[in-house]
Amino acid sequence: MNEFIRKPRGTKDILPDEQKYWRAIEKAVEKRCLAFDFGKITTPSFESVQLFDRAIGQTTDIVQKEMFEVKRYGTSEEKREEETLVLRPEGTAGVVRVYLEKGMQVWPQPVKLYYIEPMFRYGRPQKGRYREFWQFGFEIIGDKSSQTDIATLMLIWQIFNDLGLNEKDIIIDINSIGCKICRPQINKSLSDYLIKYQKLLCPVCQERLNLNPLRILDCKEKKCQNIIAGAPQIIDYLCESCKSDFKQVLEGLDELAIPYDLNPRLVRGLDYYTKTTFEIRDLQDKTRQSSLGGGGRYDNLIETYGGPSTPAIGFAAGIERIISKIKEKKIKIPEIQKTEIFVIQLGEKAKKIALKLVYDLGNKGFASSCAMGKNSLKSQLRSADKNGAKLALIIGQREALDKSIIIKDLRDSTQESYSMNKLDEMIYKKLRQK
Ligand code: AMP
């Protein structure tokens, strides 16, 4: 096969058999978000590079080396647009842009939005790490109370529970990383400690030491991990207000019996986070390097974009990772019901009637189909079974002539012949009435 017709590295194809997982996740997210009065939002796959530079931060891998730049084909004479565009690596920045651009500040606050979209990061592909991957996520913009943090965590917990992942499988890692007031003190205490080990840190962390020491806590390098183990705890440097808000969040989780693990080293990969930060991970994942989802407060982000000071909180989960967890735990996901009624034809005359019948049944709201290329009763019954049909309608040569039809109930294998004009009545009876 030619190279150019191969799938690009770090991407995947989602084949029909896999779709039930995607649908189950979409349904769970939709059900819980709509019940909580969230509105769905869809933003463009590409945005101006500045949007992410500002939000995610210059010291993150995403901005430094993982963004896909969008290049445009065209002749050199054509005027090129000045703006550099990149494929969206995450969802929050785009949603915040819309909030400001559409003047959502004047909507009733908080504004609650959710999305299900692909994201793009040019990282090194490995298990659970793609270059194109899907996230579902949500943002609550315009409310600073700890109750919103609790509601966010509750919503996440319910979605995961709906998918069959519960306290036996997953846990919330949680931390507070402070606000504008206490962050300088947190950074100072970390720098004072880390400067002593400067030469022993990995090159990336050496650079971060000046720019953003908090992010060093997030480093996965073994030699940095050993140093981080002795670093001061962020919680000891939180201001009174951050401390009390965080306490309320933890009490709220206790009250709802949502399990969490206080993780004083959790800082998350994106710079915009403040105060409560959290990740969902498998209980067995002690390395904490393969989270299922993560999020937190970003109370300063809107201001960074030139908007008014507006508190906000958000969360995003990786759909591919959730699916592999569902499979690993052997959680049963319902098959997608494709066909209710399968029409089987035997002979040329029956074939014509069958196609018209499928069309009519479809118009009456029944999911119906047939297998035109197949001629034997056995192979068509096999198709009916594979499609998960409840009823098979069989039209043989005799039925085609005397305008009758055999209804075979595939759930109990009973069958009976009816006059064609009784068909609707019988189908309604068998499929719609209890
Ligand atoms: P982040 O936007 O980095 O906070 O990530 C949120 C979630 O998205 C993670 O917990 C993962 O489940 C998922 N995720 C992030 N990066 C990738 C990737 N490269 N491939 C697959 N899933 C990812």
Side-chain angles (χ1 to χ4, degrees):
M1 200 169 25
N2 285 333
E3 209 178 310
F4 64 85
I5 57 166
R6 284 184 209 279
K7 177 173 74 60
R9 264 190 90 201
T11 63
K12 75 219 153 282
D13 301 306
I14 310 162
L15 301 182
D17 278 355
E18 284 281 298
Q19 297 290 347
K20 65 178 177 189
Y21 295 101
W22 293 79
R23 208 167 115 124
I25 293 175
E26 216 168 291
K27 269 174 81 176
V29 172
E30 199 142 86
K31 178 182 130 190
R32 291 295 179 180
C33 286
L34 293 177
F36 249 108
D37 202 24
F38 277 73
K40 189 170 183 180
I41 185 160
T42 308
T43 62
S45 303
F46 55 86
E47 298 267 7
S48 137
V49 70
Q50 284 86 358
L51 186 76
F52 302 108
D53 267 359
R54 285 244 185 122
I56 301 173
Q58 293 289 348
T59 52
T60 63
D61 282 353
I62 297 176
V63 164
Q64 284 177 336
K65 46 183 196 250
E66 292 188 354
M67 283 220 272
F68 278 91
E69 192 176 322
V70 180
K71 282 255 191 308
R72 188 171 66 90
Y73 280 96
T75 59
S76 52
E77 297 86 63
E78 275 184 76
K79 189 180 173 315
R80 301 227 175 236
E81 288 179 32
E82 290 297 311
E83 193 182 22
T84 303
L85 298 168
V86 290
L87 292 181
R88 158 189 68 205
E90 61 95 58
T92 303
V95 173
V96 168
R97 174 190 57 71
V98 181
Y99 179 87
L100 288 169
E101 220 172 330
K102 296 281 176 204
M104 291 185 186
Q105 304 97 301
V106 301
W107 290 18
Q109 304 290 302
V111 172
K112 298 193 274 183
L113 299 164
Y114 78 96
Y115 57 84
I116 306 176
E117 286 175 336
M119 306 296 161
F120 308 86
R121 294 183 194 172
Y122 195 82
R124 196 165 55 83
Q126 49 191 295
K127 188 171 176 283
R129 201 165 284 282
Y130 297 93
R131 287 182 173 169
E132 183 190 28
F133 59 98
W134 284 71
Q135 284 187 338
F136 72 79
F138 40 84
E139 317 292 341
I140 306 178
I141 307 176
D143 191 314
K144 66 178 172 54
S145 92
S146 310
Q147 293 310 311
T148 304
D149 301 30
I150 300 165
T152 303
L153 290 158
M154 186 178 101
L155 178 59
I156 297 164
W157 193 248
Q158 284 180 321
I159 292 172
F160 277 84
N161 282 189
D162 285 354
L163 293 167
L165 294 165
N166 52 40
E167 66 283 352
K168 293 200 288 301
D169 314 298
I170 54 168
I171 191 152
I172 298 173
D173 265 349
I174 194 163
N175 193 18
S176 172
I177 57 171
C179 65
K180 256 189 198 159
I181 297 167
C182 47
R183 183 69 64 78
Q185 193 49 43
I186 294 169
N187 278 336
K188 182 173 180 315
S189 68
L190 284 171
S191 299
D192 288 351
Y193 167 81
L194 291 165
I195 202 102
K196 292 183 270 178
Y197 304 95
Q198 187 170 15
K199 296 229 159 60
L200 302 173
L201 292 168
C202 74
V204 178
C205 286
Q206 291 197 17
E207 200 183 316
R208 282 177 178 164
L209 193 52
N210 292 323
L211 297 166
N212 189 357
L214 195 62
R215 283 295 318 283
I216 296 178
L217 298 184
D218 197 32
C219 184
K220 311 286 187 255
E221 292 279 335
K222 186 93 186 92
K223 57 180 178 179
C224 297
Q225 289 273 325
N226 292 337
I227 297 168
I228 293 162
Q233 306 251 332
I234 302 172
I235 273 181
D236 294 335
Y237 294 87
L238 293 178
C239 62
E240 282 314 309
S241 152
C242 282
K243 241 183 226 163
S244 123
D245 285 349
F246 192 44
K247 191 164 160 265
Q248 280 184 40
V249 174
L250 299 184
E251 281 168 3
L253 292 179
D254 287 335
E255 224 156 273
L256 297 168
I258 296 178
Y260 62 85
D261 205 351
L262 202 58
N263 177 359
R265 309 262 174 251
L266 179 75
V267 292
R268 313 269 307 121
L270 317 175
D271 278 1
Y272 54 63
Y273 286 111
T274 53
K275 298 181 79 173
T276 315
T277 46
F278 47 86
E279 287 187 352
I280 310 288
R281 67 169 165 90
D282 189 304
L283 264 176
Q284 311 305 327
D285 176 16
K286 301 286 183 242
T287 64
R288 297 187 158 121
Q289 289 189 18
S290 180
S291 64
L292 297 171
R297 280 211 157 265
Y298 50 94
D299 290 348
N300 304 330
L301 182 59
I302 293 165
E303 237 176 320
T304 313
Y305 286 138
S309 169
T310 313
I313 186 166
F315 169 77
I319 297 187
E320 289 83 356
R321 289 200 195 166
I322 297 178
I323 292 177
S324 76
K325 201 52 64 190
I326 288 174
K327 288 182 181 169
E328 187 188 309
K329 307 271 176 195
K330 299 196 166 42
I331 295 165
K332 240 185 128 37
I333 294 290
E335 294 293 331
I336 297 172
Q337 172 76 48
K338 287 179 282 190
T339 304
E340 290 179 286
I341 302 173
F342 201 89
V343 183
I344 293 174
Q345 40 70 29
L346 304 164
E348 276 315 303
K349 210 166 175 192
K351 219 176 229 185
K352 261 194 190 159
I353 302 172
L355 200 57
K356 168 92 168 52
L357 191 55
V358 169
Y359 181 75
D360 290 343
L361 288 170
N363 287 341
K364 285 171 193 154
F366 292 102
S368 46
S369 74
C370 60
M372 277 323 200
K374 292 181 179 155
N375 289 323
S376 83
L377 177 64
K378 207 165 141 196
S379 68
Q380 290 182 72
L381 275 171
R382 220 180 293 128
S383 297
D385 193 45
K386 215 172 138 223
N387 278 272
K390 292 178 182 142
L391 299 182
L393 307 183
I394 305 169
I395 312 165
Q397 287 185 12
R398 204 179 77 203
E399 285 75 23
L401 281 177
D402 67 10
K403 295 198 171 50
S404 66
I405 193 155
I406 298 167
I407 302 181
K408 184 177 173 79
D409 195 322
L410 297 168
R411 295 165 294 191
D412 58 12
S413 290
T414 55
Q415 70 174 57
E416 213 168 317
S417 180
Y418 296 93
S419 153
M420 202 56 148
N421 53 27
K422 288 275 261 177
L423 181 63
D424 281 3
E425 185 192 328
M426 291 315 299
I427 290 177
Y428 272 100
K429 214 177 227 168
K430 285 182 183 289
L431 292 182
R432 297 287 186 260
Q433 287 168 17
K434 272 268 147 223

